[in-house]
Amino acid sequence: MISQDSTQPFRNSFGRVEIWVAAEDDTHFIETERLGHGSQTVARAGSHQYNRCNKMTTNQTQPAGAESDETQARGAGVWTIPNILTAVRIMLTLPFLYFVKQGSFGYALLVFFGASLTDFVDGYIARRFKQQSKLGRFLDPVADKLLTTTGFVVMAIPHTGFPSIPIWLAVAVVGRDLIIVLGSLVVYLLTKFRDFKPTLLGKINTLVELGLIVWFLVFHTTGRLIYLLPLLYAIVVASLVLSGAEYVVEGINILRRERNSSHARPPLGAEAREDRAL
């Protein structure tokens, strides 16, 4: 152990740091060369290296639950029960359109009800049994939009012998979907952002559209409560406007976040130039 009395003070000069440590038997000399004006550059480089290491450590220390969910999603494969139910819902679109075209509202209602039921069942199974997948997240909204959009279009076409949904309502439904698709394409081209997710009002709007088709078929099959249809049309229009506005706001927020993050990043090659300067 080094006693307090045997320890001599160190001498510091501008160009050299010299430290003498006196022990009981031996005397050790430690000399270090300072870097002078380059010390600040070394400090900045060390700070960049620390930040990079910190980011790598943060990314590697993800919660175990999130990693296990991602592993289960990858291992679930393509032919999961939710994906199969979604594929069935897509295929049910054809018989539904056929029965609507033939004016068989009762059969069309049964097919549409079965297709709508698969929409709830596949979502429950995917969440309950951890069978969520990228394919399912893509196919599920596609199946919903295919069923509702084609349903509105074919039910808005005038036919003799049975009523139809107002053409302006079908145009509003299809127009909103086209605006959302084009807006997503613009956001992707500008920012390469692709993690689009349905909003809360978007999910509600899908339920409202499905409900209108169901009640339209029920009212005209039973011949009752048809006078309530204009009220349902107004509810659908309000849902279209609110959900569409929410998607527009979400798109603007994505553009702002990507623009701010791009401004916050250092220019490409800046760190490399600092390393070369060292």
Side-chain angles (χ1 to χ4, degrees), residues 158-227:
H159 296 85
T160 58
F162 62 93
S164 60
I165 288 178
I167 296 178
W168 60 266
L169 183 59
V171 171
V173 171
V174 177
R176 168 193 172 274
D177 294 338
L178 289 178
I179 292 174
I180 292 175
V181 171
L182 293 177
S184 302
L185 180 60
V186 170
V187 171
Y188 171 75
L189 293 177
L190 293 177
T191 64
K192 303 302 179 183
F193 181 87
R194 62 181 64 184
D195 190 19
F196 298 101
K197 297 179 180 179
T199 62
L200 176 61
L201 293 180
K203 295 178 180 179
I204 294 175
N205 178 74
T206 300
L207 294 177
V208 171
E209 291 179 357
L210 293 175
L212 174 61
I213 295 177
V214 169
W215 289 115
F216 182 88
L217 296 175
V218 169
F219 293 163
H220 286 287
T221 300
T222 60
R224 299 178 180 178
L225 302 178
I226 298 178
Y227 61 89

Side-chain angles (χ1 to χ4, degrees), residues 78-115:
V78 176
W79 296 109
T80 61
I81 295 178
N83 291 347
I84 293 175
L85 291 175
T86 303
V88 170
R89 184 161 73 255
I90 294 175
M91 291 185 292
L92 288 177
T93 303
L94 295 177
F96 167 73
L97 296 178
Y98 172 78
F99 288 128
V100 170
K101 185 178 179 180
Q102 297 297 321
S104 303
F105 291 111
Y107 292 113
L109 177 60
L110 291 177
V111 173
F112 191 85
F113 179 77

Side-chain angles (χ1 to χ4, degrees), residues 2 22 37 56 94 96 115 119-120 133 143 154 175 198 203 217 225 238 247 277:
I2 301 174
H37 63 82
M56 294 173 61
L94 295 177
F96 167 73
D119 187 21
F120 295 99
S133 63
V154 73
K203 295 178 180 179
L217 296 175
L225 302 178
Y247 278 111

